[in-house]
Amino acid sequence: MASSNKKQSIDSTYIISEYMNYVLEHDGYPKSVYKFCKGIKIKEEDFYKFFGSIESMNKNIWNTFFTTTIDAITKNKEYGSFSTRDKMLTLFYTFFEMLTLNRSYVLFALKQSDIPFKNLGQLRGLRIHIKDFAASLIEEDNDEKKFKFTKNPVSVFSEGAWLQFLFLLNFWVGDESQSFEKTDMAIEKSVNTIFDLFDNTPLTNVLDFGKFLWKEKVMWN
């Protein structure tokens, strides 16, 4: 039987996949775009069609995790009828499943630097995505409320969702339970608690939200 000589299609998904494999196999990031492209046998121009630098690639991987998650959950025909609480639960459940599929790379990326905040720099784009998603949920809830004083501040909720995600991400990194079932439990408990908080005790600023998360951090232990 004749062998297939079908040429590999080079797109952003292919490059990201090869990049994550490269990082894990070399136990480090490529020193340059040239070195990376030579290692996976593609032209530099193919890389630059999708990414501007190695640094932008690192950030784009997290963005891709998010957009892939959104694509997956919106394909569910029932998703549109979910409550805002269930939409947030679905996002976090699916996103952390995505991280688990790529756990080796994610752990490497998050622990690359001894300076924690430097590692979080790659999450800037993801922060915008999660805040925008959360903002759309609170706006959806606010539209159903007749009185202004019962509406929740969008900025507080969206920033709070990001803080919540960071708590869950830190929990997932250290989770050694089978199938990361403790992370699933933490997601369920934290999201339900936060929504109950907003339903019953409207917060006026992000500082209040942060204090609440610290007070309730025992939930994730």
Side-chain angles (χ1 to χ4, degrees):
M1 183 169 64
S3 61
S4 173
N5 292 318
K6 185 177 181 180
K7 187 177 180 180
Q8 170 65 51
S9 175
I10 300 175
D11 55 16
S12 61
T13 301
Y14 173 77
I15 294 175
I16 285 175
S17 177
E18 289 295 309
Y19 179 81
M20 290 194 292
N21 288 335
Y22 182 101
V23 168
L24 294 175
E25 290 174 2
H26 291 79
D27 197 28
Y29 295 117
K31 300 297 182 183
S32 66
V33 173
Y34 168 80
K35 202 153 192 173
F36 168 61
C37 292
K38 185 176 181 180
I40 67 168
K41 297 183 170 73
I42 67 170
K43 297 177 180 179
E44 281 188 76
E45 61 190 70
D46 290 329
F47 177 93
Y48 288 121
K49 287 178 182 177
F50 304 99
F51 310 102
S53 65
I54 295 297
E55 290 73 20
S56 68
M57 163 76 82
N58 294 333
K59 295 175 184 177
N60 197 277
I61 288 173
W62 290 92
N63 295 339
T64 300
F65 287 158
F66 183 86
T67 55
T68 302
T69 296
I70 292 296
D71 287 343
I73 64 179
T74 53
K75 284 180 180 177
N76 182 342
K77 295 180 180 179
E78 298 179 356
Y79 175 77
S81 62
F82 286 0
S83 67
T84 52
R85 183 187 302 242
D86 285 340
K87 286 179 179 178
M88 182 60 81
L89 281 168
T90 302
L91 175 76
F92 280 155
Y93 282 142
T94 310
F95 190 83
F96 278 95
E97 285 179 6
M98 177 69 60
L99 294 189
T100 298
L101 291 174
N102 298 279
R103 186 172 173 85
S104 294
Y105 172 82
V106 172
L107 293 182
F108 178 88
L110 291 176
K111 297 179 179 180
Q112 179 63 12
S113 173
D114 293 330
I115 305 173
F117 288 109
K118 186 174 182 180
N119 291 325
L120 293 180
Q122 63 192 298
L123 305 183
R124 289 174 185 170
L126 177 63
R127 177 175 178 269
I128 293 173
H129 285 307
I130 288 180
K131 287 186 63 177
D132 286 347
F133 182 87
S136 69
L137 296 185
I138 200 65
E139 287 170 352
E140 184 178 331
D141 272 349
N142 282 343
D143 287 342
E144 297 177 359
K145 296 178 179 179
K146 294 181 179 180
F147 303 105
K148 187 174 182 179
F149 71 87
T150 64
K151 297 178 184 290
N152 284 308
V154 175
S155 60
V156 174
F157 186 84
S158 61
E159 192 65 49
W162 174 245
L163 293 177
Q164 184 182 21
F165 169 77
L166 291 179
F167 270 94
L168 291 170
L169 180 62
N170 183 62
F171 184 94
W172 174 82
V173 167
D175 189 2
E176 297 180 351
S177 64
Q178 185 176 6
S179 300
F180 304 101
E181 57 186 17
K182 288 186 178 180
T183 295
D184 287 342
M185 292 170 62
I187 291 171
E188 180 180 8
K189 188 170 184 180
S190 67
V191 170
N192 283 329
T193 301
I194 297 303
F195 270 83
D196 288 343
L197 176 74
F198 268 83
D199 287 341
N200 301 305
T201 313
L203 301 179
T204 57
N205 57 61
V206 176
L207 181 59
D208 287 341
F209 198 104
K211 288 179 179 178
F212 169 78
L213 285 177
W214 280 109
K215 181 180 177 181
E216 297 295 320
K217 65 180 180 179
V218 68
M219 293 188 305
W220 293 280
N221 296 327

